[in-house]
Amino acid sequence: MKNIVFISGSESSAQQQWLAILKQTLVSENILLPEQIDESQAKAIDIAIVANPDPKALAKYPNLIWIHSLWAGVERLVADIKDKPIKLVRLEDPQLAKTMAESVLAWTLYLQRQMPEYSQQQSNKAWHQLPTIASSELRVSVLGAGVLGSASLNMLTKLDYQVSCWSRTPKQFAGVNSYQGSTGLTTMLGNTDILVNLLPLTNNTHHLLGNELLSKLPKGAKLINFSRGAVIDTSALLNLLASSHIAHAVLDVFEHEPLSPNDSIWNNPNITVLPHISAPTNMHTAAKVVANNISSYRATNIIPNSVDINQGY
Ligand code: NAP
């Protein structure tokens, strides 16, 4: 039985919960916390399971071959290991993808059925029926068509939306228009009523959605950001909301989390704030994915599909 280190930056109760579930699920390995490992044992460790680890904690294991992240978003880890010969495997869990797809559908329906507008009307005791838009008339575009994006696209097509996606490489999903490159993005944005962002945060996507691109959306378009706050230039978004070019934004992620109590975003009637909850990791299904990946590596010596450090995702 080999030792595996579990390094977590999460609060202690979550750390204990993860440890218990990982031990229960991956019985063929001895999963230890950093404080249970001495210097000579550390040298023999080839795999780390991590959740938001402190980069200094990782440096204590000089012979790590690969790291399994318990999160799907790995921008910080990519930066931490970019000059090291360590492979990074991120969480690709069908349950997580399903949860995200449900969130995308829920908040698309929230915007389609004008819930923010009716909520404001209720505060003003206003009885006013707004036109109902059929899903077949609504153009929903998803930025990113990876694990979470493709599950969301599949969910959206089931409800007959006019669905498009933008990704680095072309996609062939039934009932989905696939766009690439900057021309493809501009074309897609010009034909979008609800834009859903599921792009990872990388050097290429940081503040990708600024004034120039967001202005390509038709007036009155709505936005959902479920990936990372910094993919959007927040001040550009706030200006476009103030001018009503963008009618409403559902934001689950922010450049600084948690959102400061003093942030004006809290009181912006054109923003729905969510506390980074669109797709929380399910510890049990995630632990199974991690256990399968590690067992398969022990059997074959093949590292599971890993992050392209140069691309950043
Ligand atoms: P993924 O499988 O790696 O998919 C990323 C998608 O983005 C791919 O389709 C990729 O294109 C596309 N992409 C990346 N860079 C691009 C670029 N420069 N131009 C065009 N397309 C680009 O990632 P995922 O598992 O779907 O996760 C997406 C993100 O969701 C994560 O990075 C994380 O930040 C976020 N997330 C949020 C929550 C939450 O609760 N809010 C939970 C989990 C994850 P190709 O397909 O061509 O490679």
Side-chain angles (χ1 to χ4, degrees), residues 67-87:
I67 298 174
H68 204 317
S69 169
L70 294 173
W71 309 142
V74 288
E75 64 278 359
R76 229 196 66 197
L77 270 171
V78 166
D80 292 346
I81 66 161
K82 75 174 183 312
D83 300 319
K84 301 194 172 92
I86 303 175
K87 298 277 185 198

Side-chain angles (χ1 to χ4, degrees), residues 58-69:
L58 272 177
K60 291 185 181 150
Y61 306 91
N63 297 316
L64 275 181
I65 295 173
W66 62 285
I67 298 174
H68 204 317
S69 169

Side-chain angles (χ1 to χ4, degrees), residues 90 145-148 166 168-169 171 200 226 228 252 278-279 313:
R90 64 186 194 98
V147 176
L148 305 183
W166 184 72
R168 219 164 44 80
T169 56
K171 304 291 170 205
F226 280 172
R228 287 293 183 264
D252 183 48
S278 52
Y313 72 98

Side-chain angles (χ1 to χ4, degrees), residues 7 46 75 80-81 109 131 155 163 189 195 201 217 242 264 284-285:
I7 312 174
D46 55 353
E75 64 278 359
D80 292 346
I81 66 161
L109 284 164
M155 185 76 100
V163 185
L189 291 175
L195 181 67
L201 179 60
L217 289 165
S264 64
H284 293 277
T285 58

Side-chain angles (χ1 to χ4, degrees), residues 126-148:
W127 184 274
H128 177 54
Q129 295 169 339
L130 300 168
T132 300
I133 308 143
S135 53
S136 59
E137 289 166 15
L138 200 73
R139 299 165 300 177
V140 184
S141 301
V142 180
L143 296 167
V147 176
L148 305 183

Side-chain angles (χ1 to χ4, degrees), residues 152-180:
S152 304
L153 289 161
N154 183 37
M155 185 76 100
L156 290 166
T157 54
K158 286 185 184 156
L159 261 87
D160 284 342
Y161 293 108
Q162 294 180 28
V163 185
S164 299
C165 69
W166 184 72
S167 50
R168 219 164 44 80
T169 56
K171 304 291 170 205
Q172 285 194 316
F173 299 127
V176 178
N177 303 307
S178 161
Y179 294 92
Q180 295 76 48

